[in-house]
Amino acid sequence: MEVEHVSHPDHPLILINQVLEYSCELVICSGCEGPIWGPCYSCTSCYFFLHKKCAELPREIMRRIHRRHPLHLLPKPPYKTRCFCDRCYKTCNSFVYHCSFCKFDLDIKCAFQPGFLEVDSQAHQFTHKDHPLILNEEQEYHGEGVVCCVCKEPMSGPSYSCTSCNVFLHKKCAELPPEIKRHSHPEHPLCLLPNHHMICSFCKETCYESFAYCCFVCEFNLHIKCAFPPCVYAADQDQGHQFRSLLNPRSFKSISFTCNACGTDGYGSPFICTMCQLVVHEECISLPGTLKIALHHHPRIIHTYHPQQCIESINKYCGICCREVDTEYGVYYCPDCDFVAHVNCSREYGDSATETGGENEEEQSVTVDDQFMEPSFRVVREIKHGEERIIEEIEHFSHQHNLILNDKVDDDLKCDGCMLPISTPFYSCARCNFFLDKTCIELPKKKKWQYHENQLILSWSRREHFLYNCVVCNQYFRGLRYTCDVCRLCIDVRCFKSLKDSFKHGGHEHPLYLPADRKKILRCTIGGRGVPPWVADDGEIIPHCSGCCVSEESKVFFKCAVCDFKLGMKCATLPYKARHEYDDHPLFLTYINENDYQPSCIICEEDRDPKLWFYRCEECDFDAHPECALGKYPFFKPGGVLTYPKHPHPLALVIKTEDYRPQACDTCGEPCDDLALECTDPNCSFIVHRKRRQCSNSLW
């Protein structure tokens, strides 16, 4: 086997397993300057040799003697003058571990446990090298005072012995594996090495055995008893682990540990799975494998000890308390999204978490699969391309004509379902100016929502002048909405699709979370009686939104778990791209402009706060307030025409801005400078306020 090594860059090194002798001359390792008797790496072109262990030394280590920086392996000291080891003060001529910041140096013998460079096999091979050891399988009594030379415990049971030297080893001690992996130190394997009065990193006691398991990279040590702990009984657990209680010798009574099941600290005698080296509290042995939690929309969350192995995209923040989750320890997670939660939060958050029941429930799908619910459309025509099924024409309940699949988009088009800029693919009507995004088409007619007890129904009003107010963002809209028949909850599908337990927004560097108390706002009133939660005054002071600096009228907002950033639903659902008649190019939502020295809005010509969000066209250096770029009512299309009983001509829904000379309302006489219903007959100047109930009701 050939390797490239930093100490000999000119030629590759070849592994040699036999004993080396050159003209009866001793072969010296160029790394530690010690004699070579066993396996080594050699250069066939040069007189260059390295012990196998010297060639495989880690390039970087951390040591307690120098905690501030890592030490890097160098083939030669970096100084022009002599180099001295800062531990033994001997001269370093070959391999050295060096810190360039502090000019700190360790030779490789001081960098590792004593005996590391000489040991390369099992305990019985280097405990007694003078004579072979004889195996005795009988339960032989060796006499009082005879102890194992490895673990220092009295001899009993099968053993190895050298009768010439009176040396004895337990069979299990003689056959200890040279290398183990333990959950208490998952970063690196632990190697069996001679013990020199080291401290065990698990029980914090001095190791009295002749050998111990060590990580030579991190200086992590386990003595034999902690590496292979005794036990008194086993306890089964849902995830297949056999947990055993450690015996309680004096050294184990004050063990401090971090529970691998829940991630919190523990004291006393822990329970351990000897196969996986999981260390847990006694009460965590019986953790339920799955939980139901009302604050999350999927039916169950699952416990795991190994988040990094089970979850592809690990969310770093708890979906309940919004604090950071340590993914080195156990969590509850959702198999259908990136929701994770602390174990204690999942179990103790009020009465919302209950155990799942029955094996049959375990076998069911954990998702509420909308394809088995009532769809919002009927397929009229479809084609099959191999295994792919393409729906070309549909009949949707919101429109009187069939809709055709389309993939050619105009920048000015809006989806009539969510009123956001259209994205491909989408469905359009060949006769009308009507468009629906594929995401809006796929919304089911009935939906079980994670934040609401009763089922929501997808609704649409064919009366084009009907406007609705979303209880989440508190904005007027026209389009698809979800409503509750019990409490009359009304949610714009734009907010419905955006509202999640947590999400990452382009306007902030950290994930944002919906606080648990805000989720309660969207709950249903029991039996439809009483004031709905989103209307009732809960005494909460609504914070200012970091995107627009306005205190949201809606009680639903997002928080950042890391900093003091808060985002109202109005800003959270702003479209990324917008159009305005003053600019030929699309405007893009912008969160910060480092060159923004004189911020002002091109549309209203007033100053902008450079800390707040705005829309910008880079090509034209065009900046605008969001409300100026989108308009006061961005989520409905004006122009719908209807005929009313009290007026002979059709009326159109219009938005009267300051650009128009305001006309007086025919009912109240005040100027119409907002939403209005205007007569389409050019010879008739009739107009009334739309939002004033007494004015619009006069038409009936």
Side-chain angles (χ1 to χ4, degrees), residues 111-237:
F112 298 100
Q113 298 285 345
F116 166 75
L117 296 175
E118 290 77 26
V119 175
D120 201 16
S121 61
Q122 289 181 317
H124 71 83
Q125 293 177 301
F126 53 82
T127 302
H128 190 67
K129 297 181 180 179
D130 299 331
H131 307 108
L133 297 176
I134 308 301
L135 175 62
N136 185 351
E137 292 282 4
E138 302 296 328
Q139 302 289 326
E140 183 179 346
Y141 175 72
H142 297 279
E144 209 173 306
V146 179
V147 296
C148 172
C149 66
V150 172
C151 69
K152 303 302 182 182
E153 292 291 326
M155 290 300 302
S156 63
S159 64
Y160 283 92
S161 63
C162 173
T163 54
S164 303
C165 304
N166 204 28
V167 170
F168 300 92
L169 292 86
H170 292 116
K171 184 175 184 290
K172 62 180 180 180
C173 292
E175 297 174 353
L176 286 173
E179 185 176 282
I180 59 172
K181 289 186 178 181
R182 289 296 179 260
H183 198 279
S184 54
H185 187 71
E187 295 87 355
H188 308 108
L190 304 177
C191 297
L192 185 65
L193 298 175
N195 176 25
H196 294 267
H197 303 293
M198 67 181 187
I199 303 298
C200 176
S201 301
F202 183 75
C203 68
K204 311 302 181 186
E205 296 289 330
T206 301
C207 304
Y208 295 107
E209 296 96 332
S210 299
F211 293 88
Y213 281 96
C214 312
C215 173
F216 56 85
V217 178
C218 307
E219 291 189 344
F220 181 91
N221 310 310
L222 283 182
H223 67 293
I224 304 298
K225 290 179 182 178
C226 288
F228 302 96
C231 59
V232 291
Y233 65 88
D236 291 328
Q237 203 259 359

Side-chain angles (χ1 to χ4, degrees), residues 317 338 500 502-513 567:
Y317 298 92
D338 65 349
K500 302 175 182 177
S502 64
F503 76 108
K504 185 72 175 69
H505 195 281
H508 191 62
E509 64 269 31
H510 307 130
L512 303 178
Y513 295 89
L567 190 63

Side-chain angles (χ1 to χ4, degrees), residues 276-517:
C276 308
Q277 289 296 301
L278 294 173
V279 182
V280 301
H281 298 111
E282 182 176 2
E283 60 270 23
C284 288
I285 292 174
S286 56
L287 275 179
T290 59
L291 288 177
K292 289 181 180 177
I293 185 164
L295 294 178
H296 188 62
H297 58 291
H298 293 120
R300 68 172 181 174
I301 53 177
I302 301 173
H303 181 261
T304 178
Y305 291 95
H306 310 287
Q308 295 174 331
Q309 298 177 16
C310 298
I311 311 170
E312 291 183 5
S313 176
I314 302 179
N315 184 352
K316 296 291 186 181
Y317 298 92
C318 174
I320 298 175
C321 70
C322 297
R323 295 185 179 91
E324 192 167 3
V325 171
D326 189 343
T327 54
E328 295 291 332
Y329 299 98
V331 297
Y332 277 98
Y333 74 99
C334 177
D336 300 296
C337 64
D338 65 349
F339 176 90
V340 296
H342 295 115
V343 169
N344 292 338
C345 289
S346 302
R347 299 189 71 192
E348 298 175 12
Y349 186 75
D351 59 354
S352 61
T354 56
E355 291 187 38
T356 59
E359 295 182 1
N360 293 334
E361 185 172 342
E362 288 290 322
E363 296 173 359
Q364 294 176 359
S365 171
V366 297
T367 59
V368 179
D369 200 343
D370 292 332
Q371 66 177 326
F372 297 111
M373 304 176 73
E374 183 183 351
S376 59
F377 64 92
R378 182 181 67 85
V379 177
V380 177
R381 186 175 73 253
E382 68 177 5
I383 60 174
K384 289 186 177 180
H385 187 270
E387 295 183 357
E388 187 179 4
R389 175 173 170 255
I390 301 173
I391 301 174
E392 282 196 321
E393 185 176 350
I394 63 170
E395 178 185 321
H396 197 267
F397 81 99
S398 65
H399 195 65
Q400 66 270 29
H401 307 128
N402 289 352
L403 304 179
I404 310 298
L405 182 65
N406 203 331
D407 60 358
K408 294 181 180 179
V409 66
D410 188 323
D411 284 341
D412 295 323
L413 297 183
K414 276 187 177 182
C415 171
D416 284 87
C418 59
M419 295 297 166
L420 294 175
I422 204 82
S423 59
T424 56
F426 64 96
Y427 288 84
S428 61
C429 177
R431 306 184 198 180
C432 314
N433 191 30
F434 187 89
F435 311 94
L436 281 180
D437 267 329
K438 190 171 182 288
T439 57
C440 288
I441 289 289
E442 292 172 348
L443 290 171
K445 199 69 183 294
K446 296 179 180 179
K447 176 79 174 180
K448 182 64 179 174
W449 198 34
Q450 69 220 56
Y451 308 116
H452 205 68
E453 288 85 347
N454 292 305
Q455 191 168 240
L456 301 183
I457 300 172
L458 190 64
S459 306
W460 174 273
S461 175
R462 293 190 180 275
R463 297 191 64 83
E464 298 191 42
H465 294 174
F466 272 42
L467 300 179
Y468 300 90
N469 186 262
C470 176
V471 301
V472 174
C473 66
N474 201 33
Q475 295 191 86
Y476 283 99
F477 73 95
R478 165 155 181 85
L480 291 171
R481 67 193 185 280
Y482 274 106
T483 58
C484 174
D485 285 343
V486 177
C487 64
R488 303 301 174 188
L489 179 82
C490 178
I491 305 174
D492 183 352
V493 295
R494 172 179 51 87
C495 289
F496 182 88
K497 291 188 287 186
S498 300
L499 203 58
K500 302 175 182 177
D501 288 343
S502 64
F503 76 108
K504 185 72 175 69
H505 195 281
H508 191 62
E509 64 269 31
H510 307 130
L512 303 178
Y513 295 89
L514 184 63
D517 59 339

Side-chain angles (χ1 to χ4, degrees), residues 3-11 13 29-31 41 48-50 54-55 59 73-76 94-95:
V3 296
E4 301 286 341
H5 198 271
V6 64
S7 63
H8 195 70
D10 298 332
H11 308 111
L13 303 180
C29 172
S30 298
Y41 283 93
F48 184 90
F49 302 92
L50 285 179
C54 291
R59 297 292 179 86
L73 180 64
L74 301 180
K76 292 290 182 184
S94 51
F95 284 10

